[in-house]
Amino acid sequence: ATKVPFRLNQNQALLTFEDEGVAQRLTKMSRHTVNLDNTKANVTVRPFELEMGFQFELHVTVSGKKINVSEIPELPIPKDWMRDKLELSFYKAEQAAGGGEIENVTYNKESGTAVITFLKPGASNNFVGCTKYLFCAEGRCFKLAVSPHFDFRLRKFQPYCRVSKKTILLKGIPEVEEDEESVQDMIEIHFQKPSNGGGEIEKIKYTSRGAAYVCFEE
């Protein structure tokens, strides 16, 4: 499971219960009076919300108009000339049953790669299974690597805020003389009692000074 960091601010506590019904019941009660030794503290229970994220559908399709070309040799000719030679070679495309008219060639000299875009939809299908392509330039022949070009589309993109079913966030815990561990024990005792609407606690984290980052995993 993925661990998500959560910022726990000063005088706050996180409690994770074994039974999610306990957490939901305490959240509905909202306010609780906790006995912290000689002090009665009115604390607030809030649903534990993780950082906002995004959910979406990623649709991947093989382009019917584009192919990726790599392992293009570096030759002592201008970049535009190489692009023209690639266009001419793939336009003829005798090795792939005809490529057809080319709409655009994007060539990257540094990486030795290019994206060939044909004018006619479905033209790239002629290169299916053609992993090596014979390319001749400057009196020499080279084998270029050819692979499908994938189109990525995001759909149903929307933000969401995930709420934990088993964990609650306590706010408004007052500062007391007792040390942090003692206060945490008193909070745990209170929320573990069924008479207070509580139940068995799996984990608890309380911070009285500064802020702490908790790795949350549910």
Side-chain angles (χ1 to χ4, degrees):
T2 303
K3 292 186 177 181
V4 182
F6 175 81
R7 179 187 169 95
L8 189 63
N9 293 320
Q10 183 174 339
N11 296 325
Q12 292 184 349
L14 280 178
L15 288 83
T16 301
F17 295 90
E18 291 183 0
D19 182 2
E20 64 182 55
V22 174
Q24 294 173 22
R25 180 169 62 246
L26 290 171
T27 302
K28 288 180 181 178
M29 294 168 66
S30 182
R31 298 190 68 83
H32 297 262
T33 301
V34 181
N35 185 14
L36 300 179
D37 206 3
N38 297 321
T39 304
K40 288 192 178 295
N42 293 316
V43 300
T44 304
V45 175
R46 291 281 184 265
F48 175 51
E49 298 179 347
L50 291 172
E51 297 293 331
M52 180 175 286
F54 298 91
Q55 59 186 13
F56 53 85
E57 291 181 1
L58 177 62
H59 294 258
V60 183
T61 56
V62 178
S63 175
K65 294 179 64 177
K66 297 180 180 181
I67 58 172
N68 295 330
V69 181
S70 58
E71 299 179 21
I72 300 172
E74 186 173 348
L75 299 177
I77 59 175
K79 185 176 179 179
D80 290 346
W81 290 14
M82 176 61 84
R83 186 165 51 240
D84 291 343
K85 288 181 180 296
L86 288 168
E87 180 173 349
L88 184 60
S89 177
F90 281 91
Y91 174 77
K92 294 179 179 179
E94 296 175 355
Q95 304 167 67
E101 188 173 348
I102 290 174
E103 182 179 306
N104 183 54
V105 175
T106 303
Y107 168 58
N108 188 311
K109 185 175 182 178
E110 288 71 26
S111 62
T113 61
V115 177
I116 311 293
T117 304
F118 296 97
L119 186 64
K120 183 180 178 181
S124 67
N125 295 334
N126 295 329
F127 293 86
V128 173
C130 177
T131 57
K132 291 293 182 180
Y133 182 84
L134 192 63
F135 171 71
C136 296
E138 298 297 296
R140 299 168 61 190
C141 290
F142 309 89
K143 286 188 176 181
L144 309 185
V146 178
S147 60
H149 183 88
F150 295 97
D151 291 325
F152 299 90
R153 289 185 176 85
L154 291 180
R155 295 180 181 175
K156 298 182 180 179
F157 188 88
Q158 57 186 5
Y160 76 96
C161 191
R162 182 179 164 208
V163 178
S164 172
K165 294 180 180 179
K166 297 172 64 178
T167 303
I168 61 173
L169 174 65
L170 291 187
K171 290 185 173 183
I173 303 170
E175 294 185 11
V176 293
E177 294 182 359
E178 286 77 5
D179 61 78
E180 190 171 276
E181 186 176 345
S182 297
V183 174
Q184 180 170 295
D185 289 343
M186 286 184 277
I187 293 172
E188 184 172 3
I189 290 170
H190 176 89
F191 284 98
Q192 199 153 311
K193 292 180 178 179
S195 58
N196 293 326
E200 287 297 320
I201 295 173
E202 283 185 357
K203 296 177 184 177
I204 179 171
K205 176 60 180 176
Y206 163 67
T207 180
S208 61
R209 294 179 296 276
Y213 280 91
V214 180
C215 279
F216 178 79
E217 179 181 337
E218 186 176 48

